[in-house]
Amino acid sequence: MPRSYIRTELRRLVAQRADYSCEYCLIAEENTPSCQVDHIISVKHGGDSTAENLCYACLFCNLQKGTDLGSINWQNGELVRFFNPRRDLWREHFQLDGAIIRSTTDIGEVTARILDFNDEDRTLERQVLIENNRYPSRAAKNKIG
């Protein structure tokens, strides 16, 4: 499958629109090894490389998500899509409880679980950033509400 080319201007738009923060876990680019432009619906599943289908994701969230679109809610066996930063409001699916990102919906639950938001190392990283007033960022606070 050919790689999808994303123009430099489009990459810049996606990063600026996200205030240079991961749109899934809300960590600022300056506090993580790198952020990348993510296809919300992967090219493999018919997603295109338009601004409406792209978001900014930290390396960890992007690698965990891969080309997945969702996962199983093991409590009821239903397939549930992931959080979509273009359609959904972060605060409607997640809450920040100290360094823990708690899900409040099925969409939040599958997204937090598969993207491993509360992995021990990631939680510790957020805790250190909180203690140094670097998480959540001002832009992230707007998404948290």
Side-chain angles (χ1 to χ4, degrees):
M1 173 173 287
R3 289 183 55 91
S4 176
Y5 177 75
I6 302 170
R7 298 181 331 269
T8 301
E9 300 82 26
L10 185 54
R11 289 180 185 277
R12 189 175 302 123
L13 178 141
V14 170
Q16 288 174 341
R17 180 177 62 194
D19 282 323
Y20 301 94
S21 295
C22 176
E23 296 188 77
Y24 295 111
C25 72
L26 305 182
I27 195 165
E29 182 175 41
E30 65 191 23
N31 295 320
T32 191
S34 72
C35 282
Q36 305 172 332
V37 174
D38 172 53
H39 285 86
I40 297 166
I41 298 173
S42 67
V43 174
K44 171 181 170 182
H45 292 288
D48 55 20
S49 297
T50 61
E52 295 75 28
N53 188 45
L54 298 173
C55 73
Y56 213 49
C58 70
L59 179 63
F60 197 84
C61 283
N62 199 18
L63 289 175
Q64 291 297 109
K65 179 179 170 285
T67 61
D68 293 349
L69 302 174
S71 186
I72 305 293
N73 174 339
W74 292 109
Q75 292 184 343
N76 60 22
E78 291 184 17
L79 177 64
V80 178
R81 70 173 175 85
F82 286 146
F83 169 76
N84 179 330
R86 299 285 71 78
R87 296 179 11 183
D88 303 319
L89 293 175
W90 197 91
R91 66 178 149 276
E92 292 181 355
H93 298 281
F94 309 102
Q95 290 179 334
L96 190 60
D97 181 9
I100 302 292
I101 299 174
R102 301 216 184 272
S103 57
T104 59
T105 65
D106 287 353
I107 289 171
E109 191 282 322
V110 298
T111 304
R113 179 170 38 89
I114 298 300
L115 276 60
D116 214 1
F117 284 172
N118 295 309
D119 167 81
E120 185 178 340
D121 289 341
R122 297 182 81 188
T123 304
L124 179 61
E125 176 183 46
R126 281 194 296 271
Q127 184 61 46
V128 170
L129 291 170
I130 288 168
E131 291 169 6
N132 290 289
N133 296 318
R134 295 172 60 184
Y135 185 89
S137 67
R138 186 173 46 90
K141 287 178 181 172
N142 290 335
K143 292 179 180 176
I144 293 169

